[in-house]
Amino acid sequence: MKERVFSGMRPTGKLHLGHLAGALTNWVKLQDEYECFYSIVDWHALMSEYADSGQIRSNCREVILDWLASGLDPEKCSIFVQSMVPQHTEIHLALSMITPLGWLERCPTYKDQIRNMQNKDLGTYAFLGYPVLMAGDILLYKASRVPVGEDQSAHLELTREIARRFNYFYGPIFPEPETLLTPTPKVPGTDGRKMSKSYGNSLNISEDLKELWEKLRTMKTDPQRERRKDPGNPDVCPVWDIQKVFNPDLEERERLENGCRTAEIGCIECKKALFAHLEKLLIPIQQRRRYFEQHGDELGDILREGARRAKVVAEGTIDEIVQAIGLFR
Ligand code: TRP
């Protein structure tokens, strides 16, 4: 029996190189070792996008395309959209019964988001319960491992606390899931800040390769290196950060690093080397993406099959919950 993994991603639209390096590459590896459930969590998206939900459906499609393109294999893992498995909403309600308000109000991500998202009204009942829905996602499958980045650690901790409290009231139903902390390498965007759709600085997985080169070519490097003859400092160069993530050729990297520090090479040479590696990585990914773009029927089949497999587990857990609480069914 393989251990079970669950992870989710909000449908934000086309995914970028940060998603690839920070999550997807790891998810692809896990599908060989674990029984994996990967879900596009559209209800979570709605919690912040409820006033403008028109993008959610097309964003889900983009995410599924990028997942399949990046190597998630529906023969090895189950891929589905959260709202296709209605048991997610049912477990969310059940868990909300026993979750103390204070736990949610004290959650650091809640306070941060309310402060940072001044353009959206996140003062809703549902948004406070974001971590409860997430706990439900994980506990519905009794997943033992959850691959996430550091930013989700507090939510995983809450998930364990909710599981413990539920078990305390109704008996041992839920295992406490372990965080599989995914090392999230630093992937800056074109402006040097963290790559993020909301900054408009992304290099997308599906980026046209000519455009990718244009973006890379014009990207700022070490600000102190004004002229070709000035020596550079890779430690403060955002292109070098990307190079460290996507150039696996350590010898070449050493050559580039020394060349930069001694001004033997210019930034363009370094960028060309990086682009060659990105091209090599992305060509087969983009080929797979185009295949699925043109075979929409297969996309539907993959999601229906993923949801069917998810429901088999989800229905079992809901039955246990109903029994344990003592609802009349
Ligand atoms: N909150 C996660 C994020 O924003 C997405 C998510 C929802 C998730 N449910 C999950 C991640 C369950 C892991 C497990 O990235």
Side-chain angles (χ1 to χ4, degrees):
M1 269 292 273
K2 284 186 184 171
E3 275 188 68
R4 200 172 280 151
V5 156
F6 182 94
S7 200
M9 208 181 266
R10 280 171 297 116
T12 49
K14 290 193 165 76
L15 302 180
H16 54 60
L17 295 183
H19 294 114
L20 188 61
L24 290 177
T25 306
N26 191 236
W27 289 18
V28 169
K29 283 198 203 112
L30 293 172
Q31 61 183 351
D32 290 315
E33 246 187 279
Y34 296 95
E35 186 194 356
C36 295
F37 289 91
Y38 294 130
S39 181
I40 296 141
V41 290
D42 52 351
W43 283 118
H44 278 94
L46 201 62
M47 286 177 168
S48 55
E49 308 306 315
Y50 62 88
D52 186 12
S53 61
Q55 297 290 310
I56 291 183
R57 184 177 293 132
S58 62
N59 283 354
C60 283
R61 186 183 132 84
E62 300 288 2
V63 170
I64 298 153
L65 286 170
D66 282 328
W67 281 10
L68 295 169
S70 303
L72 289 190
D73 179 349
E75 304 273 311
K76 296 180 180 171
C77 65
S78 301
I79 298 171
F80 62 98
V81 177
Q82 186 186 35
S83 66
M84 293 171 80
V85 180
Q87 286 78 10
H88 283 264
T89 60
E90 203 171 353
I91 194 172
H92 168 246
L93 185 65
L95 297 178
S96 73
M97 302 295 167
I98 57 106
T99 305
L101 264 183
W103 291 7
L104 301 173
E105 288 162 344
R106 276 195 298 275
C107 184
T109 54
Y110 180 65
K111 292 191 264 179
D112 282 358
Q113 305 240 24
I114 293 273
R115 208 173 315 113
N116 294 340
M117 298 267 209
Q118 298 292 2
N119 56 335
K120 286 175 196 154
D121 181 1
L122 297 182
T124 59
Y125 163 61
F127 191 71
L128 180 66
Y130 184 105
V132 184
L133 184 61
M134 178 162 163
D137 295 342
I138 297 162
L139 299 177
L140 190 54
Y141 302 95
K142 300 186 180 182
S144 55
R145 313 255 178 139
V146 184
V148 287
E150 177 59 36
D151 64 320
Q152 297 296 312
S153 292
H155 291 154
L156 261 292
E157 195 53 50
L158 259 175
T159 300
R160 286 186 285 272
E161 279 168 337
I162 291 171
R164 223 174 295 146
R165 189 165 159 88
F166 192 95
N167 291 345
Y168 167 76
F169 283 118
Y170 306 115
I173 293 191
F174 299 122
E176 287 179 34
E178 226 178 89
T179 308
L180 255 188
L181 208 59
T182 318
T184 27
K186 187 173 170 193
V187 183
T190 50
D191 59 358
R193 291 187 292 173
K194 181 185 158 76
M195 193 179 289
S196 163
K197 181 178 177 170
S198 52
Y199 292 153
N201 65 357
S202 294
L203 304 170
N204 287 336
I205 291 173
S206 56
E207 194 89 34
D208 176 76
L209 292 176
K210 279 201 198 74
E211 237 146 81
L212 177 63
W213 170 244
E214 265 321 286
K215 288 187 179 180
L216 206 57
R217 188 181 69 77
T218 52
M219 199 172 149
K220 293 245 183 348
T221 55
D222 170 4
Q224 304 280 37
R225 192 176 188 191
E226 288 172 15
R227 295 179 191 78
R228 168 67 182 78
K229 64 175 199 331
D230 300 336
N233 179 6
D235 301 335
V236 298
C237 175
V239 172
W240 188 249
D241 284 327
I242 304 180
Q243 189 90 252
K244 280 187 286 191
V245 180
F246 291 101
N247 182 347
D249 182 345
L250 295 180
E251 274 173 40
E252 183 186 45
R253 249 161 62 188
E254 203 175 301
R255 230 179 319 115
L256 293 168
E257 183 171 3
N258 291 333
C260 172
R261 291 191 193 279
T262 55
E264 272 163 88
I265 65 161
C267 293
I268 280 294
E269 202 169 319
C270 176
K271 288 173 172 178
K272 275 185 180 158
L274 170 58
F275 181 68
H277 288 285
L278 287 176
E279 219 180 6
K280 192 167 157 218
L281 173 71
L282 292 178
I283 284 173
I285 289 179
Q286 296 190 353
Q287 226 160 21
R288 273 193 296 273
R289 200 182 201 278
R290 272 191 296 278
Y291 172 87
F292 286 110
E293 281 167 5
Q294 289 156 10
H295 296 77
D297 48 329
E298 280 183 45
L299 221 63
D301 291 345
I302 288 167
L303 293 175
R304 271 188 296 278
E305 173 59 15
R308 188 195 63 76
R309 292 197 289 238
K311 269 186 221 168
V312 172
V313 181
E315 281 168 355
T317 306
I318 294 294
D319 277 348
E320 276 184 82
I321 291 173
V322 164
Q323 286 306 318
I325 297 175
L327 298 176
F328 183 88
R329 271 204 191 167

